[in-house]
Structures are given as structure tokens and as C-alpha cells.
Amino acid sequence: MREQVLQGKKGIVEEIKEKVDKAQSVVLVDYRGLKVDELNELRSKCREAGVDYKVYKNTLMRFAFKESGFEGFNEFLAGPNAVAFGYDDPVQAAKIIHEFSKDHDNLEIKAGIVDGNIIDINEIKELANLPSREVLIAQTLGGLNGPISGFVNVLQGNLRNLVYALNAIKENQEAQEA
């Protein structure tokens, strides 16, 4: 019986480790004081955005973060904690948690991991204020498209002027012949 419990805990540690390794961002929160319906609302928002929000025992998270090379993250594992894993967009988990914490004072952001670096609450807030990946790509493409459009307009203007000049020469020659 005890061996089964130990194997179950090892399985959960491995699950957490896999999620940490796979995630582009991880946000740790203290959810103490949130009501059940508020927690369900947060879970729902996370699920809609492709963010995995889970509650694990701190001791199991300590083992998993240590195995993933984030032993320094363990200093934040005190009290009731939940963790949000953002897989597709490094900004998404921070954005959802930060937005939710604005309306729910009981949700306390503690720390996070982005691009293999442990970040504090201020860096999470900065990350949350960044536009999403899609918006950044659209802004970049828009910035690249501007000079190209300008160049095309300049070329069209020169061609248009050349056509006007040739047409004026033609009309002038026709007037002289007549």
C-alpha cells in the first residue's frame, strides 16, 4: 500500500516536471481567500486561453522544480499555491493571472518562470502588459510593409510623370505637324 502511494507521488512529480519543461511560462499564485466560484472562473479563463491551472502539494512541486533545474523557485512555495502553465504564448498565463488579480485582491502573484529564468511579481506584471504574440507579429509586419508601400508609391509616381511627359511630347509633335 505504501509503495503505491509513493509511486503515485512520483507520478505527480513527473507530471509537474514535464509541464514545467514544456511550458513557455509558469506563474505561481497564492489563491488563499478566493471563493469556489471565483476559482472556477479563473480555471475557466485559463482553460479558454490554453493555460493549464493546477493546484499541487508544495512538497511535490519542490521535487519537480528541483529536477527541472529551478531549485531557486522553491523559496516561493509556502502556503496554498496554484501554478499556471502557459504553453503556446509566454505572455498568456501572466496576462490572465494579472487581469484576474486586479478584480480579486485575494489572488496573490508570487513568482514565475519565463525562458528558463525565475522572475518576480514586477516582471510578471510587465510581461502581462505586453501585447500577445499575434499582435506583436502584426505590428512588426505592419512596420515592414510601410516602407515597401512608400517605395511602390514613389516608383508609381515616377512612372506616371514619365507617361505624362511622353504624352506631352506626343501632343506637342502632333500640334507642330498640323
Side-chain angles (χ1 to χ4, degrees):
M1 178 71 172
R2 185 176 173 129
E3 184 63 33
Q4 287 178 320
V5 171
L6 186 60
Q7 287 302 319
K9 288 180 179 182
K10 285 181 179 180
I12 294 171
V13 168
E14 187 59 35
E15 173 188 320
I16 298 167
K17 182 186 176 305
E18 286 175 10
K19 288 181 180 196
V20 169
D21 293 342
K22 182 177 151 191
Q24 290 191 28
S25 65
V26 176
V27 179
L28 183 72
V29 296
D30 181 340
Y31 61 89
R32 193 179 356 208
L34 286 178
K35 297 176 183 157
V36 172
D37 59 328
E38 292 171 327
L39 283 170
N40 289 336
E41 179 186 350
L42 177 58
R43 280 188 177 101
S44 176
K45 287 182 181 207
C46 287
R47 197 176 315 112
E48 288 169 10
V51 173
D52 192 8
Y53 177 88
K54 296 282 262 186
V55 175
Y56 293 107
K57 291 187 177 224
N58 288 339
T59 53
L60 300 179
M61 284 197 286
R62 278 189 186 91
F63 286 117
F65 284 115
K66 183 178 180 181
E67 286 182 22
S68 293
F70 297 108
E71 194 168 352
F73 200 69
N74 290 341
E75 70 182 77
F76 301 104
L77 296 174
N81 292 303
V83 63
F85 301 97
Y87 300 111
D88 300 326
D89 186 350
V91 175
Q92 200 63 31
K95 189 177 288 288
I96 289 171
I97 298 295
H98 179 62
E99 288 299 317
F100 194 83
S101 71
K102 286 180 183 177
D103 298 330
H104 301 85
D105 294 334
N106 291 333
L107 184 69
E108 177 193 346
I109 300 171
K110 295 176 125 182
I113 299 171
V114 176
D115 287 334
N117 297 311
I118 297 173
I119 60 175
D120 64 16
I121 184 171
N122 295 323
E123 292 170 307
I124 291 172
K125 288 179 181 178
E126 288 176 22
L127 184 65
N129 291 325
L130 287 175
S132 70
R133 182 174 185 254
E134 289 78 19
V135 171
L136 287 172
I137 290 171
Q139 289 174 344
T140 302
L141 291 177
L144 292 173
N145 194 24
I148 293 170
S149 297
F151 183 66
V152 168
N153 288 335
V154 167
L155 289 178
Q156 284 178 339
N158 287 338
L159 289 174
R160 195 176 313 116
N161 290 339
L162 178 63
V163 169
Y164 290 147
L166 291 174
N167 193 33
I169 292 170
K170 176 185 158 204
E171 288 175 3
N172 190 14
Q173 286 178 347
E174 288 175 355
Q176 286 178 354
E177 290 175 3

